[in-house]
Amino acid sequence: MSRFRWVLAAVVVMSLGVGAAAAAFYVTFVQDLPSFETLSDYRPPLTSTVFDRRGVPVGEFYEFRRQLTPLDAVPRHVIQAFLAAEDDNFYEHSGVDYVSILRAAWANLRAGGETVQGASTITQQTVKQLLLSSEQTYRRKIRELILARRIEQRFSKDDILYLYLNQIYFGAGAYGVGEAARTYFDKSVSEIDAGEAALLAGLPKAPGRNSPYLDPERAEERRLYVLDRMAEEGFLDPVTHGEARANPPVLREQQPRPDFAVASYFTETIRRLLVESLGNETVLQGGLRIETTLDLPLQRDAVAAVQRGLEALDRRRGYRGPLRQVPAESFEAELAILAEKNQLVVIEGEEQPLPAEGAQLEALLLDVGKTRARAALAPGFDVELRLEGQTWARALDGPRGELGDLRKSFAAGDVVPVRIDPETPDDEEATLPRVQLAQTPDAQGALLSFEVGSGDVLALVGGYDFEDSEFDRATQATRQPGSAFKPIVYAAAMGRGYTPASIVIDRPVVIENEGFTWRPENYGRRFLGPLVVGEALARSVNNATIHLLREVGVDHVMELARRLGIESPMERNLGLALGTNPLTLLEITRAYGVFAAGGRKVRPRILLRVLDRDGQLLLGEVALGEDPPRIGPVTETAALGDEAGRADLPRGVEEPPPGPVVEGQDDLEGLPPGYAISPQQAFLATALLRQVVEHPKGTGRRALSLGHPLAGKTGTTNDQGDAWFVGYSAEVATGVWVGFDEKRVLGRGETGGRAALPIWLDMMKAVLADRPVRDFPVPDGIVFARIDGETGLLASASTRNALFQPFLEGTAPTERADQAATGSDRLRLDF
């Protein structure tokens, strides 16, 4: 009996021990195992893609570069490469390969305990990637084995392989086999051959150490090992195996998509908007399909127009000097540095291909003559810089004229920015490739263009180069618009009883207030006397506009500006007439868009919709200016003028009590829903803005060359600090700004008509190229009359300057110019 008790006690103790051990094992390894059920709905971080209005990709947002690749899109030899490299028994084992574990343990033991061989199956690696950390502990390893067995019971082998191939990291920022093929070979995974597949299959074990970029020899050793394993497993026949071994794959880094660079300012605006609406994680990891209004061909034209315009401005200003100066004894060392910067490797006896056309390079001037200079881009890679094409490179802001001697601006030892001359003549004298000086403009520019009917933003450019500066000067920068604001004053007048035949007086304005004297002047420093309103606007006459503002009322003009979409702060004084209040290019272009749209409020729509990875709608259409960001520097200029005038308004000079307002039709009564002003008032404003283009002395007369009915206005701040042109056709509105980020002068004579209008013309030429000529539609209630351009009265047979102008019914002049009591003698007084 005593023995039985002992046996029973021993059994109880052993049972308790086993139970305790089991409980300890459960608590330690099993209790808090992560759930793998989420793997059935595998949702890794994916790249979000931005599309233009035609469905062309124009940008990507990502934290991890990954594109999901279905298993049936992966070629068989690619799958076999991974099986040979990582888990040749994948389709036989149940998640854990015990034979491989024993083999690896023996190999590591023979190596003195160093880990020289692993035994993790593809299933185990998938568990580690998706469910566990990468810590090197026995606890983590045992949990990995348990999960691997369980996953094999829950998922098919193909499911596990799909997870593995899309999850693993390949180095160089690439996640998943699809992205790896793009990163290393710039092709889809369906296009890679056995040799390339072997290289990719060799990366996951150690993406850094086996990188073909960081250690090409080690990467090749690993690739050959994978190929041999493929042959051993019968995945490759001897011929294919031999060819793959003998021909290492050529790496082709994924080339930056030029269209992505072209659309950078636009897509960054989209990114900011989406982060605010959806959150950063969703944008960078959600695999979103982002459909926008961008017109990619027009965006290309917009970027090219801004860059050409800024480069032309930069050349008019002159040469800013070399990037640096190198003493003769340092030439050899400098050329070695330039070879790396210019990505040029000269191999003796081999012809060196020219760098890509348009590539920005640096050249060291070796010797400089009057009309030719010899330079080098790298050791043994000489080029020639000729005076022809560099005649603009006189001293910065120096006397006007062309450079006649290279030695006046250049010297041996100068390192200068250049580009290969695409028009190098093929003649006997052309012994060296020619280069052109490629000075990067230090001024900036911005452009915004949208359809009038839909409001769709077709193009947006926020600066010369997004890589150099991400600050968006189209939507974020506030600048004084100068005379580009004047049309709002004239539009307000059209709603207060004025007509295109009304006369305004250009006479001096002098306001004194607490010791300050404000005496704005016209550009030519003379006064023009009585002018028809259209001519006053066309010639951008400052004082006439100030007098008009006083008569219409500052408050009325400010209220109209708000209805047109201007949201920036405005000070209540007469400087409003000359655009002293900073605003964005978006705001002023949107205001002009209302005129173009026949009075309708304009929402410059930038986003059409956002779909998640499952095709479900996340976000509908969004317009620029809806809760717009206010980020970045604000440039203010205390004084402002125009190519047709100057204004110096000191702070503290408030508007005096306004004079009597001309009575007329109240432009606020009876507006249709969605309208900022009546169609009639908008049409009259357009008629005045057309004179800026069509009047013989209009500041925008160069736009006539486009052959379409156009309306617009120049704008220039004091001392040519900012230059604008904003205008529209019946279908598209476009605004352009040119200036510096800080308070600086563009240069003598750099008005809106010279610095901004050429950019606008280039853009609108592209916009209108495929569009039929279309006039602005005439609304009901408008009649036309032929008037005398000097008196504003009805034209007579003897009128030399007759204008065909629109009027509200009942407001056209009734007196003829040749019947007026005072005639035109009143207009010839010397003001």
Side-chain angles (χ1 to χ4, degrees):
M1 191 68 179
S2 174
R3 181 180 297 176
F4 175 76
R5 288 176 179 174
W6 279 105
V7 172
L8 181 60
V11 170
V12 170
V13 170
M14 290 177 62
S15 298
L16 290 174
V18 171
F25 184 88
Y26 178 83
V27 170
T28 303
F29 300 110
V30 181
Q31 184 180 36
D32 59 347
L33 279 176
S35 170
F36 54 80
E37 292 302 321
T38 55
L39 298 183
S40 60
D41 184 24
Y42 176 57
R43 304 178 75 80
L46 296 180
T47 299
S48 295
T49 305
V50 185
F51 297 90
D52 86 334
R53 69 193 316 190
R54 297 179 180 87
V56 178
V58 294
E60 293 178 340
F61 307 136
Y62 55 83
E63 185 174 355
F64 306 100
R65 282 205 333 267
R66 177 189 282 113
Q67 300 289 342
L68 279 183
T69 305
L71 193 61
D72 58 11
V74 183
R76 183 174 179 79
H77 63 269
V78 176
I79 293 174
Q80 291 171 336
F82 283 92
L83 296 179
E86 297 293 333
D87 190 356
D88 54 0
N89 293 322
F90 174 69
Y91 280 98
E92 282 74 44
H93 63 64
S94 57
V96 180
D97 190 342
Y98 298 105
V99 175
S100 294
I101 290 175
L102 292 174
R103 184 172 59 239
W106 175 245
N108 295 337
L109 183 63
R110 293 177 62 189
E114 181 184 352
T115 302
V116 295
Q117 183 173 335
S120 292
T121 64
I122 282 177
T123 308
Q124 288 175 258
Q125 293 181 52
T126 303
V127 166
K128 186 172 70 172
Q129 291 279 339
L130 290 168
L131 299 176
L132 297 176
S133 69
S134 58
E135 62 177 338
Q136 298 293 323
T137 65
Y138 286 110
R139 179 177 182 270
R140 200 274 304 161
K141 192 67 177 178
I142 292 172
R143 287 157 63 84
E144 177 186 297
L145 296 174
I146 296 169
L147 282 169
R149 291 293 303 270
R150 291 185 177 182
I151 284 177
E152 288 272 353
Q153 295 167 2
R154 172 68 175 79
F155 297 99
S156 72
K157 288 289 187 180
D158 283 353
D159 289 339
I160 295 169
L161 195 57
Y162 164 77
L163 294 172
Y164 172 78
L165 290 176
N166 281 287
Q167 184 65 25
I168 51 177
Y169 181 56
F170 287 85
Y175 290 82
V177 68
E179 191 65 43
R182 289 175 56 189
T183 298
Y184 290 99
F185 305 117
D186 197 21
K187 60 175 68 172
S188 72
V189 68
S190 63
E191 298 174 300
I192 66 175
D193 60 29
E196 294 165 336
L199 187 148
L200 294 184
L203 290 172
K205 186 174 290 294
R209 291 199 307 271
N210 295 334
S211 168
Y213 298 131
L214 302 178
D215 194 338
E217 291 185 6
R218 187 183 181 96
E220 179 61 10
E221 289 177 8
R222 178 69 176 162
R223 187 185 76 90
L224 295 177
Y225 164 77
V226 175
L227 286 172
D228 292 345
R229 288 287 300 120
M230 292 177 74
E232 291 171 10
E233 294 296 327
F235 296 150
L236 292 180
D237 60 66
V239 174
T240 305
H241 173 247
E243 289 178 351
R245 280 188 64 92
N247 297 288
V250 177
L251 296 177
R252 294 183 178 86
E253 290 188 57
Q254 186 176 353
Q255 297 301 310
R257 300 188 186 184
D259 290 337
F260 282 21
V262 162
S264 293
Y265 281 108
F266 183 92
T267 53
E268 174 59 14
T269 301
I270 290 288
R271 188 198 64 80
R272 291 196 311 267
L273 184 154
L274 293 181
V275 167
E276 184 176 349
S277 301
L278 303 175
N280 196 54
E281 183 175 326
T282 299
V283 173
L284 297 183
Q285 301 183 18
L288 308 178
R289 178 182 176 88
I290 304 160
E291 299 176 1
T292 73
T293 63
L294 184 74
D295 187 303
L296 182 56
L298 289 181
Q299 177 71 15
R300 295 191 195 107
D301 292 325
V303 170
V306 170
Q307 291 182 345
R308 276 195 304 268
L310 293 178
E311 288 166 3
L313 166 65
D314 197 64
R315 291 187 172 202
R316 290 195 296 270
R317 295 188 64 223
Y319 177 51
R320 295 195 299 275
L323 301 174
R324 54 190 176 278
Q325 237 284 333
V326 178
E329 60 270 19
S330 300
F331 278 14
E332 185 176 345
E334 180 65 24
L335 288 175
I337 295 172
L338 291 183
E340 185 174 350
K341 279 191 172 184
N342 295 329
Q343 298 182 345
L344 295 172
V345 178
V346 179
I347 301 175
E348 189 173 348
E350 293 188 14
E351 185 176 349
Q352 175 67 36
L354 290 176
E357 184 179 324
Q360 188 83 7
L361 307 167
E362 291 184 10
L364 173 64
L365 299 185
L366 303 175
D367 57 72
V368 180
K370 180 177 181 179
T371 61
R372 299 185 185 186
R374 186 169 62 89
L377 303 176
F381 197 124
D382 288 2
V383 292
E384 185 178 62
L385 181 76
R386 294 195 180 186
L387 177 63
E388 179 186 356
Q390 273 62 239
T391 55
W392 61 269
R394 66 189 187 285
L396 183 67
D397 293 329
R400 294 299 175 101
E402 294 187 345
L403 181 69
D405 187 338
L406 287 175
R407 294 168 297 186
K408 291 184 178 180
S409 293
F410 305 96
D414 286 356
V415 177
V416 298
V418 298
R419 291 192 184 98
I420 297 295
D421 187 348
E423 299 180 0
T424 298
D426 186 15
D427 58 28
E428 296 180 359
E429 296 183 359
T431 58
L432 294 173
R434 289 192 193 176
V435 294
Q436 294 279 2
L437 191 62
Q439 179 173 272
T440 300
D442 55 352
Q444 288 289 349
L447 182 150
L448 176 66
S449 187
F450 58 80
E451 283 184 338
V452 171
S454 64
D456 285 358
V457 174
L458 304 175
L460 185 154
V461 182
Y464 179 78
D465 184 357
F466 184 81
E467 289 295 320
D468 181 60
S469 170
E470 297 182 10
F471 181 55
D472 180 4
R473 296 156 187 85
T475 64
Q476 293 177 299
T478 56
R479 315 287 182 187
Q480 291 179 321
S483 292
F485 191 87
K486 287 177 181 174
I488 298 177
V489 178
Y490 285 81
M494 293 301 103
R496 303 282 276 184
Y498 283 78
T499 76
S502 296
I503 297 292
V504 291
I505 310 297
D506 178 35
R507 61 178 185 270
V509 173
V510 179
I511 297 176
E512 295 183 356
N513 188 338
E514 299 180 0
F516 292 103
T517 300
W518 185 49
R519 186 181 288 108
E521 298 174 336
N522 291 328
Y523 190 67
R525 298 182 187 275
R526 68 189 187 95
F527 298 98
L528 302 176
L531 297 168
V532 174
V533 288
E535 182 177 357
L537 181 61
R539 299 176 68 176
S540 201
V541 182
N542 278 352
N543 286 0
T545 306
I546 294 170
H547 287 298
L548 181 62
L549 174 64
R550 295 182 73 172
E551 294 178 352
V552 172
V554 170
D555 291 336
H556 184 71
V557 172
M558 291 175 66
E559 194 273 336
L560 175 60
R562 293 287 183 229
R563 284 190 282 127
L564 295 176
I566 291 175
E567 300 169 346
S568 293
M570 290 182 284
E571 294 183 3
R572 187 181 181 276
N573 57 43
L574 293 179
L576 186 70
L578 307 182
T580 57
N581 297 288
L583 45 73
T584 66
L585 178 63
L586 165 63
E587 290 176 290
I588 193 67
T589 310
R590 180 171 56 191
Y592 279 52
V594 174
F595 302 147
R600 280 187 301 101
K601 294 178 181 178
V602 174
R603 294 177 65 244
R605 186 172 59 171
I606 188 171
L607 183 67
L608 295 175
R609 64 176 183 171
V610 178
L611 305 179
D612 67 13
R613 67 176 74 197
D614 301 317
Q616 299 300 308
L617 182 67
L618 283 184
L619 195 62
E621 64 178 48
V622 178
L624 286 173
E626 295 178 348
D627 298 323
R630 297 294 185 199
I631 306 169
V634 175
T635 299
E636 292 191 9
T637 310
L640 172 113
D642 187 5
E643 61 272 35
R646 290 174 49 93
D648 298 289
L649 178 64
R651 292 188 179 276
V653 178
E654 298 294 327
E655 179 219 5
V661 175
V662 178
E663 294 297 329
Q665 181 184 23
D666 188 343
D667 57 322
L668 290 174
E669 287 185 356
L671 285 181
Y675 278 72
I677 57 177
S678 70
Q680 295 76 21
Q681 186 178 359
F683 188 79
L684 295 179
T686 293
L688 297 180
L689 283 165
R690 289 184 67 165
Q691 293 200 46
V692 175
V693 175
E694 297 170 3
H695 192 281
K697 296 182 180 179
T699 58
R701 187 166 175 79
R702 290 175 61 185
L704 273 177
S705 62
L706 297 182
H708 284 249
L710 298 168
K713 183 70 184 74
T714 52
T716 313
T717 57
N718 250 11
D719 299 319
Q720 289 76 54
D722 296 276
W724 303 73
F725 193 87
V726 186
Y728 51 91
S729 69
E731 297 175 274
V732 176
T734 298
V736 173
W737 165 85
V738 174
F740 290 101
D741 286 336
E742 67 280 359
K743 184 180 178 181
R744 288 174 61 186
V745 175
L746 283 172
R748 184 170 43 129
E750 296 298 343
T751 62
R754 191 179 195 197
L757 179 56
I759 298 174
W760 189 90
L761 288 174
D762 279 355
M763 179 60 187
M764 290 300 287
K765 181 178 180 180
V767 167
L768 300 171
D770 298 323
R771 298 175 185 259
V773 175
R774 181 185 169 197
D775 208 343
F776 298 97
V778 182
D780 295 338
I782 291 291
V783 297
F784 287 84
R786 190 166 168 269
I787 66 168
D788 185 293
E790 293 185 358
T791 64
L793 302 177
L794 290 175
S796 63
S798 60
T799 298
R800 291 177 298 176
N801 180 21
L803 303 172
F804 195 61
Q805 289 294 295
F807 297 88
L808 283 173
E809 289 181 347
T811 65
T814 56
E815 186 178 6
R816 284 173 46 185
D818 58 354
Q819 296 173 343
T822 56
S824 60
D825 293 337
R826 174 177 59 86
L827 305 179
R828 297 198 178 96
L829 295 176
D830 184 11
F831 283 82

